[in-house]
Amino acid sequence: IDGFKPFQNACIVDVTFYRHIPSSWNKKKRMEAACGIIRPITRPDCGNYEKGFYDALTGIIWVDDSIVTDKHVRKRYTAELARVEITVREVE
């Protein structure tokens, strides 16, 4: 982002990892997953997902991932495109 400087102060991170619903599941199970009734409990776990994106964002969003002081991490299914949604707020 043009002119953006990586955060240097404490940051709060909110992240949701959206996994694609397995196509092998029946219609009922797929609907329950899309509605959030069934949640992904398979590997990788949230911690492994986090490690990768914390390192990837170092030098881009924050100067170092050690400045993350608060976080909320979720793993969910989606019928749409698998993705990661991240919100980072710097604490002033």
Side-chain angles (χ1 to χ4, degrees):
I1 303 171
D2 209 20
F4 178 80
K5 293 183 182 178
F7 296 129
Q8 297 181 32
N9 299 314
C11 288
I12 298 169
V13 176
D14 188 294
V15 60
T16 305
F17 298 97
Y18 288 98
R19 297 185 51 153
H20 190 69
I21 299 170
S23 58
S24 61
W25 287 4
N26 64 42
K27 187 176 180 178
K28 180 182 181 219
K29 194 170 181 181
R30 291 175 60 80
M31 181 63 74
E32 289 175 340
C35 293
I37 296 168
I38 298 175
R39 295 186 179 177
I41 56 171
T42 58
R43 295 186 185 273
D45 60 40
C46 286
N48 286 336
Y49 279 128
E50 279 183 279
K51 289 176 202 170
F53 96 81
Y54 277 15
D55 290 342
L57 296 180
T58 296
I60 299 169
I61 299 298
W62 42 58
V63 292
D64 188 81
D65 61 358
S66 64
I67 67 171
V68 176
T69 60
D70 299 88
K71 62 183 177 175
H72 187 221
V73 181
R74 292 172 294 288
K75 228 177 20 168
R76 298 291 187 267
Y77 281 120
T78 182
E80 301 167 11
L81 184 65
R83 64 192 182 282
V84 179
E85 293 181 1
I86 303 168
T87 302
V88 181
R89 287 188 308 123
E90 188 175 35
V91 179
E92 298 194 25

